[in-house]
């Protein structure tokens, strides 16, 4: 047989051979990719995408088919109404699971849509206790909730900062108000400090002169703020302009790498104390630090806050699917509820509500424009 004939026969054999079976498994992400919170939302997408790419390098097989992992990233604009529309879009696209949302406001109504469709959801950021207390077997999170964060921040304000006069501001979102309420509850429970002012703003506000002037007259030594960094930064600037010397205490929405840019020289030295709803220490710090470096190399910027938790959420879904041998939600959901995963953010296991067992938090401050770790606090 001539060489050309041999080649033709070979090509015919290839054409007749069955193609190797492959299927797509799509993971959805939902977070703000526009508006003031876009940097935090993009952080979630970036972390999830890193996990997706790593999974594609592992040659995972489910249901007898090699898997191609894909990410479907949607913008919820930090808005509850948009969040429900995004949730329905992801369900209609038949995603296997969802990493999201960032803000508590969109997370809670979206969780009903995922639950009705049987689509598992892991939030890498939403901290409102309401989320996991609705009875949905599809709802999980890989961070501590507001009850633990509020207790810890209250304890730090009272003990470490020796606060005697405390003012409280929140942005009236589910996250901001919920966290402020938990902080207030613990301060009142412990006693020893007076709540001298309770003020409200909104999550897109830029002028705080009226409420800060009222607070200034009360001479607080600590101001607790429930909300996000996009508001906290300008608020710190206006506090400085008005001569308000109080420390600011807040949650993980403020505890970002962007806060120094938003606050400028009003950030001060050790003036802001914030808590991120997660944390590692000891031997686990090496894996976490390695992830931060991989992220920086890939995206040319530091992690804001939530990327490691989004990364771990995707990996937890993948582990549950592999245990079940399937990407069908009804089949891997029981494995998800029972998962034990060693992630870059620490050990991940869920309680009966879907909350993280033995949840940790990390307290930070800012010095010389850099976020500095103070301590890891653990417990439910």
């Amino acid at each position: 047989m001539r060489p050309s004939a041999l080649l033709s026969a070979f090509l015919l054999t290839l054409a007749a051979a069955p193609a190797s079976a492959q299927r797509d498994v799509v993971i959805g992400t939902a977070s703000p990719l526009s508006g003031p919170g876009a940097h935090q939302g993009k952080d979630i997408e970036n972390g999830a995408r890193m996990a997706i790419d790593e999974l594609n390098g592992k040659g995972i097989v489910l249901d007898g088919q090699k898997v191609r992992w894909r990410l479907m990233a949607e913008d919820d604009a930090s808005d509850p109404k948009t969040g429900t529309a995004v949730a329905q879009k992801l369900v209609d696209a038949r995603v296997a699971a969802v990493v999201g949302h960032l803000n508590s406001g969109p997370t809670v109504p979206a969780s009903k849509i995922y639950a009705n469709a049987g689509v598992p959801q892991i939030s890498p950021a939403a901290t409102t206790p309401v989320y996991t207390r609705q009875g949905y077997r599809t709802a999980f999170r890989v961070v501590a909730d507001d009850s633990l964060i509020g207790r810890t921040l209250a304890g730090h304000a009272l003990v470490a900062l020796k606060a005697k006069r405390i003012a409280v501001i929140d942005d009236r979102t589910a996250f901001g108000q919920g966290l402020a309420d938990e902080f207030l509850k613990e301060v009142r429970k412990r006693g020893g400090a007076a709540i001298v002012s309770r003020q409200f703003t909104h999550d897109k506000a830029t002028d705080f002169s009226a409420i800060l002037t009222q607070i200034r007259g009360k001479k607080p030594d600590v101001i607790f703020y429930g909300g996000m960094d996009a508001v906290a930064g300008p608020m710190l600037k206006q506090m400085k302009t008005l001569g308000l010397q109080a420390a600011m205490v807040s949650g993980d929405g403020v505890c970002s790498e962007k806060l120094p840019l938003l606050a400028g020289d009003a950030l001060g030295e050790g003036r802001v104390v914030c808590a991120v709803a997660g944390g590692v220490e000891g031997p686990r710090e090496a894996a976490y630090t390695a992830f931060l470096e991989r992220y920086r190399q890939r995206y040319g910027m530091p992690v804001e806050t939530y990327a490691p938790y989004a990364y771990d959420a995707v990996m937890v879904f993948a582990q549950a699917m592999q245990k079940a041998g399937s990407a069908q939600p009804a089949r891997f959901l029981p494995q998800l509820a029972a998962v034990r995963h060693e992630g870059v953010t620490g050990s991940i296991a869920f309680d009966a509500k879907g909350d993280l067992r033995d949840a940790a938090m990390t307290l930070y401050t800012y010095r010389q424009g850099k976020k500095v770790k103070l301590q890891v606090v653990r417990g439910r």
Side-chain angles (χ1 to χ4, degrees):
M1 188 179 292
R2 292 176 298 169
S4 59
L6 283 170
L7 178 59
S8 298
F10 176 67
L11 293 174
L12 285 171
T13 301
L14 284 179
S20 59
Q22 179 172 292
R23 62 165 300 181
D24 285 354
V25 173
V26 184
I27 305 292
T29 60
S31 60
L33 302 177
S34 60
H39 59 294
Q40 298 278 28
K42 189 65 177 179
D43 200 46
I44 287 175
E45 180 190 335
N46 288 346
R49 197 171 297 281
M50 284 178 66
I52 290 289
D53 290 348
E54 289 183 26
L55 290 172
N56 276 325
K58 294 182 177 181
I60 294 171
V61 174
L62 298 175
D63 291 320
Q65 296 178 301
K66 186 177 178 181
V67 170
R68 182 178 69 172
W69 301 85
R70 292 176 47 220
L71 188 71
M72 181 176 175
E74 294 295 328
D75 178 12
D76 69 12
S78 299
D79 175 65
K81 184 176 179 180
T82 305
T84 56
V86 161
Q88 190 61 56
K89 181 177 181 179
L90 291 170
V91 165
D92 292 344
R94 297 185 174 275
V95 298
V98 174
V99 177
H101 298 227
L102 185 158
N103 306 91
S104 293
T107 300
V108 173
S111 65
K112 181 178 182 180
I113 293 171
Y114 300 131
N116 289 341
V119 175
Q121 170 193 11
I122 297 178
S123 174
T127 54
T128 178
V130 174
Y131 168 52
T132 53
R133 295 179 187 178
Q134 302 172 97
Y136 299 148
R137 59 193 292 265
T138 51
F140 303 86
R141 68 172 132 224
V142 289
V143 291
D145 71 13
D146 285 340
S147 59
L148 177 57
I149 300 167
R151 291 199 305 270
T152 301
L153 288 171
H156 188 84
L158 294 171
V159 177
L161 301 181
K162 304 185 187 309
K164 295 299 180 185
R165 298 175 64 80
I166 300 173
V168 177
I169 308 170
D170 76 60
D171 66 0
R172 288 315 232 178
T173 64
F175 163 66
Q177 184 174 356
L179 183 57
D181 287 346
E182 293 294 338
F183 174 86
L184 279 167
K185 187 189 304 181
E186 186 67 14
V187 169
R188 288 168 176 153
K189 178 182 175 182
R190 292 190 181 213
I195 304 299
V196 298
S197 183
R198 180 75 161 98
Q199 299 291 328
F200 308 98
T201 183
H202 62 84
D203 61 348
K204 296 176 178 60
T206 57
D207 182 5
F208 315 101
S209 56
I211 61 174
L212 291 177
T213 298
Q214 193 277 344
I215 287 172
R216 182 178 61 180
K218 302 295 184 178
K219 297 180 170 55
D221 38 38
V222 165
I223 295 175
F224 179 87
Y225 173 61
M228 304 297 286
D229 58 358
V231 170
M235 186 182 291
L236 283 163
K237 287 183 176 180
Q238 291 176 39
M239 285 169 61
K240 181 180 180 182
T241 300
L242 290 169
L244 256 171
Q245 299 300 316
M248 177 181 279
V249 174
S250 192
D252 56 1
V254 165
C255 218
S256 70
E257 295 292 342
K258 193 174 181 180
L259 184 65
L261 298 176
L262 294 166
D265 61 4
L267 187 65
E269 292 293 302
R271 183 184 187 187
V272 176
V273 176
C274 53
V276 170
V280 294
E281 55 191 338
R284 293 194 177 113
E285 286 189 285
Y288 185 79
T289 301
F291 173 86
L292 299 182
E293 183 56 30
R294 293 200 308 274
Y295 185 100
R296 185 186 294 273
Q297 288 181 2
R298 173 162 180 171
Y299 297 111
M301 66 181 76
V303 164
E304 286 291 346
T305 307
Y306 303 111
Y309 303 97
Y311 172 92
D312 273 354
V314 172
M315 290 304 191
V316 166
F317 281 137
Q319 180 175 318
M321 291 177 195
Q322 289 176 84
K323 286 270 188 182
S326 174
Q328 296 300 318
R331 290 179 60 185
F332 76 79
L333 186 55
Q335 295 293 338
L336 182 61
V339 77
R340 297 290 188 275
H341 179 75
E342 291 300 319
V344 297
T345 62
S347 297
I348 295 172
F350 302 114
D351 66 14
K353 297 191 301 293
D355 281 324
L356 189 65
R357 293 184 186 273
D358 194 26
M361 285 181 323
T362 307
L363 292 172
Y364 290 92
T365 190
Y366 291 85
R367 296 184 185 130
Q368 297 181 346
K370 301 292 185 183
K371 191 163 73 171
V372 178
K373 182 176 177 179
L374 294 174
Q375 68 179 119
V376 173
V377 180
R378 190 173 295 278
R380 293 284 323 154

